[in-house]
Amino acid sequence: MSQVKFEGIKKQYAADVFAVSDFTLTIEDGEFVSFLGPSGCGKTTTLRMIAGLEKNTHGKIYLGDDLVSDPENKFFLPPEKRHVGMVFQSYAVWPHMNVYDNVAYPLKIQKVPKDEIEKRVLEMLKVVELNGLEKRMPNQLSGGQQQRVALARGLVMQPKVLLLDEPLSNLDAKLREKMRTDIRAIQQSLKLTVVYVTHDQIEANTMSDRIVIMKSGKILQVGSPKEIKSNPVNDFVREFIQ
Amino acid sequence: MKKTVLGLSIFILLVLCVYPFLELFLKVIYSGPGGTLSFDAFNSVLTSDTILTAVKNTLLVSTAVSLLSCLVGIPLAWLLSRTDFPWNRRFRSWLCLPYAIPPYIGAIAWIFLANPTTGLLNRILGHSFLNVYTFSGLVWIESSFLYTFILLTVHASLERMDSSFEEAARLSGAGPLKIFKDITLPLIRPSILGGGLLVFLATAASFGVPALIGSPARIYLITTQIYTFQKMGSMSGIYRAGALSMLLLFSAAVTLLIQQRILRKSQFQTVSGKSSRPSLIELGKWKTPSVILVCAFLFLVFILPLSGVFISALSKVQGEFSFDNWTFSNFYRVLFETQETGRAFWNSFSLGVIAATLACLLGAFLSYIQVKTKLKGRNLLDLLASLPYSTPGTVVALALILAFSNGFFGVGPSLYNTLGMLALAYIVKYLSFAMKTTADGYRQIDDVLDEASRVSGAGWGRTMLYIWLPLMKAPLVAAWFLIFMPVVSELTMTILLTGPGLETVGTVIFQLQEYADASGGSASVLAILVVMLVVLVNWIVKKSSDGRYGL
């Protein structure tokens, strides 16, 4: 796992329309960081810039020691070369492949030998508690199970960083609570660097090492849940974190 | 009251959309002397070598056209929806335009370009370099229109598809081609199969191109064979045409059933609530080559044939290329001097207005019952109306001739070769389209708007006038124009339903091209006018609906 570093990131759409601006932040190796803010605040855009699914127009992004995006010098590493895992809000579990094939796909692309693929996929399915369901098709799984498939698929290639885009928003309240603790436990035991996007302050508070509060494309405050709660920089943050 | 209205509607649809086919079937079965049971017509059709060849040709051409259309349509759809191809919206509407142009216009254009002896391209490339009167000529011209079916369906399903399926594969390390093969293609396979079968059906049902290109080359298809039988004029000819059209109808029904089954069985849930902007694949160094390729394709299917028709329409003497030879006199002659063509224009225009208006009124009424009431049996309306829509035009025309030639259930004069018969045919054929378009419109209007108006004290009539009509304006206008447009240039049904003395734009173009002066440029003039009408109508529909309808 690696560090993620943003240096003066901006995402500009038009002359003075910025989706994200002046975003500077370092996410440490093994840290769980949440981007928290109302919809349209730029948190998902920032997350997708780590993956390379969106391009920043200014500034630099580093994954570990590698520079992955530097538009001023016309450098951009495409998403397929960045080696990041991502869990999408809609899960994006491929409906035409069974659980095993979904999770094995990133390893097949990397041309990992077959027996090693099998070993690693089964191991990962055990981590997300899906062992025994390898042959199931996605439409035979519950929403929570599909979520776990997506998680296993994101983790199986041992990515530099795991990105989670509002992964719990489609689950019911009870399952959401269990997934919160499960994701945090997996993160701790595998020592993952996680960037987690949410608009739910309970999720952010219970899971993260640090929270980044965003509004209108800008960082308002960065700190541990405790710090932010005890010392909010302004009224917006105070009300949002309540 | 409501039940009576529904019952009456079902009765009307049974008479218009089902009875003719029943009549066709019965007349062919009871075609023996004095109306006795006889299978002679079927026998003579099924044992004739000519017919078997026509069936074989139809299968071959339809398969080839479907494959070629997929080969062109799928990459285009992908390029326009998944990559940073420049001006993709504009290119999409240009590339889809052939969808609205009747393919026989293409046949005329390509005859002008690639006629083995006098074709414009052959004069440049050398004598007999290209020959349009061949199997491949037929396949090429049909495909250059029908690829739009694939482009439209595949493009729509790519746009609807949740883009995170592909993004997840990208993050797994897969490149664009691998993603297309592993993820995109399997997910859009149902719409490819569905679109492909529609192309197959459309080719098998087409008449204009096979008649203008195939017949001179002695490549007969089922539709052109039916035409030949029917034009023999004898009763036995009609019966044989009827038997053959039953065969066509049967294969069309089977194809449609397979298509629906595929769509129902293998449709993955690939649509999610969240619509994030998909990250587009950057073409990079492939951008210029792909733009050139697409432009070349556009030139080949659209610009080249269109300019061919233009040159022909503007030439004083056909086949001479000098500035002195340019003239607008052909336009003047066709529109104002030749009685036949002027009459054809007037006929087609008024038929378009009448058919579009009546089909829209009836369609809006029927779809209101279907969508906004809870009456039992309301879904029957859609089913009945869609029967003629999905039946090949040749079969619809033949069924109408057999059902209504002796007047309306024996009452009144014969409808054969009258404007009334043509209007009836167009309404029957396009009623389902009007219903579907207006039904979609109704579905987007919440019932509470109606209820709010009622609570405010407005009765049914005023609610219709002040609430429904304004809200339904866009779908109604679109439906009207999208029926008007094909009716004005309709050929397949019209050619069977009319005889001498009753001209429409379609039949006049066809006859000018087939029998009369290929040298006068009249057919080209009419073809140009049809294309201009299509472009104009498409523009009106698009503007008036803010891009919801139209290409």
Side-chain angles (χ1 to χ4, degrees):
Chain A
M1 280 285 160
S2 321
Q3 203 185 47
V4 181
K5 204 156 91 188
F6 298 93
E7 277 179 11
I9 295 304
K10 287 183 191 173
K11 168 92 181 167
Q12 190 170 18
Y13 283 128
D16 41 39
V17 186
F18 288 91
V20 177
S21 56
D22 307 321
F23 196 99
T24 299
L25 177 76
T26 304
I27 297 165
E28 297 301 338
D29 190 356
E31 197 181 16
F32 193 122
V33 170
S34 294
F35 294 170
L36 177 65
S39 54
C41 72
K43 55 192 192 298
T44 294
T45 309
T46 311
L47 185 85
R48 285 166 65 85
M49 285 194 288
I50 303 176
L53 295 171
E54 300 271 353
K55 277 182 159 182
N56 49 317
T57 49
H58 306 270
K60 293 177 183 165
I61 301 176
Y62 293 89
L63 281 181
D65 298 329
D66 305 326
L67 179 68
V68 294
S69 178
D70 182 8
E72 272 99 347
N73 291 311
K74 298 214 179 315
F75 178 76
F76 180 79
L77 196 67
E80 59 267 30
K81 303 226 168 92
R82 288 200 182 184
H83 220 75
V84 300
M86 182 158 171
V87 176
F88 292 83
Q89 187 178 16
S90 58
Y91 318 141
V93 174
W94 299 306
H96 59 297
M97 299 183 189
N98 65 22
V99 170
Y100 182 91
D101 289 335
N102 258 285
V103 178
Y105 189 79
L107 300 179
K108 275 185 195 153
I109 297 288
Q110 289 178 18
K111 304 212 163 60
V112 174
K114 252 201 167 143
D115 42 340
E116 200 195 326
I117 291 184
E118 190 176 340
K119 197 178 126 244
R120 278 168 69 180
V121 170
L122 293 179
E123 216 168 82
M124 199 40 78
L125 286 175
K126 203 176 253 170
V127 170
V128 299
E129 299 171 21
L130 282 180
N131 33 339
L133 300 181
E134 294 85 9
K135 293 270 169 282
R136 290 274 186 95
M137 294 306 279
N139 61 7
Q140 300 167 305
L141 299 176
S142 70
Q145 288 170 325
Q146 290 191 32
Q147 171 100 77
R148 286 162 192 273
V149 176
L151 195 59
R153 184 181 62 191
L155 286 173
V156 75
M157 57 173 174
Q158 294 159 348
K160 289 179 175 167
V161 54
L162 179 68
L163 311 174
L164 297 154
D165 184 9
E166 306 215 14
L168 306 186
S169 58
N170 291 332
L171 301 179
D172 61 60
K174 204 165 170 195
L175 198 55
R176 208 178 300 167
E177 209 168 302
K178 173 159 168 49
M179 281 306 286
R180 280 208 300 260
T181 34
D182 284 4
I183 290 177
R184 179 66 168 163
I186 291 171
Q187 184 258 338
Q188 305 250 297
S189 70
L190 300 180
K191 300 196 170 42
L192 305 172
T193 310
V194 169
V195 184
Y196 189 99
V197 160
T198 181
H199 60 259
D200 182 328
Q201 78 281 11
I202 302 174
E203 279 176 23
N205 279 330
T206 51
M207 298 168 84
S208 335
D209 296 316
R210 277 195 298 162
I211 299 176
V212 177
I213 305 224
M214 292 179 70
K215 192 195 168 197
S216 315
K218 288 203 168 86
I219 298 180
L220 291 185
Q221 188 169 8
V222 184
S224 71
K226 218 184 238 168
E227 280 164 18
I228 293 181
K229 196 149 209 170
S230 60
N231 203 1
V233 290
N234 60 21
D235 289 347
F236 178 82
V237 173
R238 181 179 306 116
E239 272 170 37
F240 203 81
I241 207 77
Q242 291 276 297
Chain B
M1 169 62 193
K2 272 185 176 168
K3 277 193 181 149
T4 328
V5 172
L6 178 67
L8 204 65
S9 311
I10 291 180
F11 177 73
I12 292 173
L13 286 177
L14 280 173
V15 170
L16 292 181
C17 301
V18 181
Y19 162 72
F21 297 107
L22 217 61
E23 190 69 20
L24 169 69
F25 182 68
L26 291 176
K27 284 237 168 90
V28 173
I29 294 283
Y30 290 98
S31 58
T36 51
L37 191 65
S38 155
F39 293 101
D40 286 356
F42 277 109
N43 270 337
S44 74
V45 160
L46 289 175
T47 53
S48 141
D49 279 344
T50 337
I51 302 293
L52 288 180
T53 318
V55 171
K56 208 182 79 196
N57 284 340
T58 305
L59 288 176
L60 268 176
V61 171
S62 305
T63 311
V65 171
S66 310
L67 290 179
L68 190 58
S69 299
C70 284
L71 213 63
V72 176
I74 298 169
L76 278 176
W78 181 81
L79 212 53
L80 293 175
S81 67
R82 284 295 186 265
T83 69
D84 60 343
F85 195 86
W87 308 298
N88 52 2
R89 283 173 164 269
R90 203 164 301 165
F91 266 108
R92 195 191 79 105
S93 38
W94 288 338
L95 284 165
C96 287
L97 209 54
Y99 180 78
I101 298 171
Y104 65 82
I105 305 266
I108 290 171
W110 280 101
I111 290 171
F112 178 75
L113 290 170
N115 181 313
T117 48
T118 57
L120 178 59
L121 291 178
N122 284 326
R123 282 163 192 253
I124 300 165
L125 298 167
H127 190 70
S128 294
F129 185 82
L130 289 168
N131 183 2
V132 74
Y133 297 115
T134 52
F135 183 83
S136 33
L138 183 51
V139 170
W140 164 249
I141 295 170
E142 293 271 22
S143 307
S144 73
F145 286 87
L146 295 176
Y147 80 90
T148 52
F149 283 39
I150 305 282
L151 176 56
L152 283 165
T153 44
V154 173
H155 191 274
S157 86
L158 281 173
E159 295 274 284
R160 267 200 317 270
M161 191 172 133
D162 181 358
S163 56
S164 35
F165 286 122
E166 285 153 305
E167 288 173 354
R170 264 198 113 174
L171 294 178
S172 306
L177 281 180
K178 188 111 181 86
I179 296 174
F180 183 74
K181 190 181 127 269
D182 288 348
I183 311 292
T184 319
L185 207 56
L187 291 180
I188 60 172
R189 190 171 290 148
S191 58
I192 294 175
L193 278 170
L197 285 172
L198 278 187
V199 173
F200 187 90
L201 205 60
T203 315
S206 71
F207 171 76
V209 182
L212 291 171
I213 302 292
S215 301
R218 302 189 168 279
I219 302 169
Y220 293 102
L221 267 53
I222 297 178
T223 49
T224 44
Q225 205 58 252
I226 291 174
Y227 174 69
T228 315
F229 281 144
Q230 201 262 348
K231 289 289 159 177
M232 290 189 331
S234 66
M235 245 7 232
S236 77
I238 295 246
Y239 290 141
R240 273 152 85 183
L244 192 51
S245 64
M246 296 300 301
L247 196 71
L248 185 59
L249 181 59
F250 178 73
S251 14
V254 170
T255 316
L256 269 180
L257 274 179
I258 297 175
Q259 190 232 12
Q260 310 234 308
R261 174 152 255 194
I262 288 171
L263 285 183
R264 205 171 325 131
K265 240 180 131 182
S266 55
Q267 193 72 282
F268 295 119
Q269 184 68 36
T270 55
V271 187
S272 78
K274 193 190 181 191
S275 63
S276 62
R277 265 186 323 279
S279 63
L280 298 177
I281 291 163
E282 291 185 12
L283 290 168
K285 61 177 182 208
W286 295 102
K287 195 178 233 168
T288 318
S290 53
V291 170
I292 292 174
L293 217 61
V294 170
C295 286
F297 177 74
L298 199 61
F299 176 78
L300 219 54
V301 297
F302 197 65
I303 298 167
L304 178 67
L306 198 65
S307 8
V309 183
F310 247 112
I311 294 173
S312 156
L314 292 173
S315 294
K316 234 181 264 173
V317 181
Q318 291 295 309
E320 237 186 76
F321 306 107
S322 60
F323 279 107
D324 316 337
N325 195 31
W326 281 34
T327 174
F328 278 102
S329 65
N330 290 337
F331 281 86
Y332 189 78
R333 192 186 67 237
V334 164
L335 285 175
F336 304 110
E337 285 182 342
T338 318
Q339 272 199 358
E340 220 183 18
T341 43
R343 212 163 48 219
F345 250 100
W346 177 241
N347 282 344
S348 284
F349 186 81
S350 37
L351 277 168
V353 172
I354 292 168
T357 309
L358 291 179
C360 281
L361 283 177
L362 189 57
F365 174 73
L366 294 173
S367 64
Y368 182 85
I369 298 177
Q370 193 207 333
V371 175
K372 294 294 179 188
T373 70
K374 303 215 159 19
L375 293 170
K376 225 176 181 175
R378 64 187 190 280
N379 287 324
L380 204 59
L381 297 174
D382 185 38
L383 189 74
L384 294 179
S386 67
L387 192 64
Y389 190 63
S390 38
T391 304
T394 314
V395 183
V396 176
L398 217 57
L400 289 173
I401 291 174
L402 288 172
F404 298 125
S405 261
N406 301 323
F408 219 72
F409 293 100
V411 182
S414 164
L415 286 175
Y416 180 71
N417 201 19
T418 62
L419 284 173
M421 183 65 130
L422 286 179
L424 186 69
Y426 300 149
I427 293 168
V428 164
K429 181 83 183 163
Y430 290 106
L431 181 60
S432 166
F433 180 80
M435 278 181 70
K436 285 200 164 70
T437 312
T438 48
D440 281 344
Y442 286 132
R443 278 193 201 99
Q444 285 174 14
I445 301 170
D446 201 323
D447 284 342
V448 294
L449 298 178
D450 180 287
E451 287 158 10
S453 163
R454 299 295 187 94
V455 173
S456 310
W460 183 83
R462 274 198 288 176
T463 304
M464 272 285 159
L465 195 61
Y466 292 124
I467 309 297
W468 287 106
L469 208 59
L471 287 172
M472 284 294 291
K473 211 177 99 196
L476 274 174
V477 168
W480 194 91
F481 277 107
L482 294 177
I483 293 173
F484 175 78
M485 186 164 67
V487 163
V488 168
S489 57
E490 214 283 339
L491 174 66
T492 310
M493 296 190 295
T494 316
I495 195 90
L496 290 172
L497 291 169
T498 58
L502 181 63
E503 296 90 0
T504 67
V505 170
T507 59
V508 162
I509 294 182
F510 182 75
Q511 268 140 15
L512 281 174
Q513 186 68 39
E514 216 191 9
Y515 308 112
D517 67 340
S519 56
S522 306
S524 307
V525 169
L526 290 170
I528 289 286
L529 292 171
V530 168
V531 173
M532 275 164 38
L533 180 80
V534 166
V535 173
L536 178 73
V537 164
N538 183 46
W539 183 79
I540 293 176
V541 168
K542 218 171 163 173
K543 279 281 162 235
S544 69
S545 67
D546 284 326
R548 243 171 87 196
Y549 301 96
L551 297 169

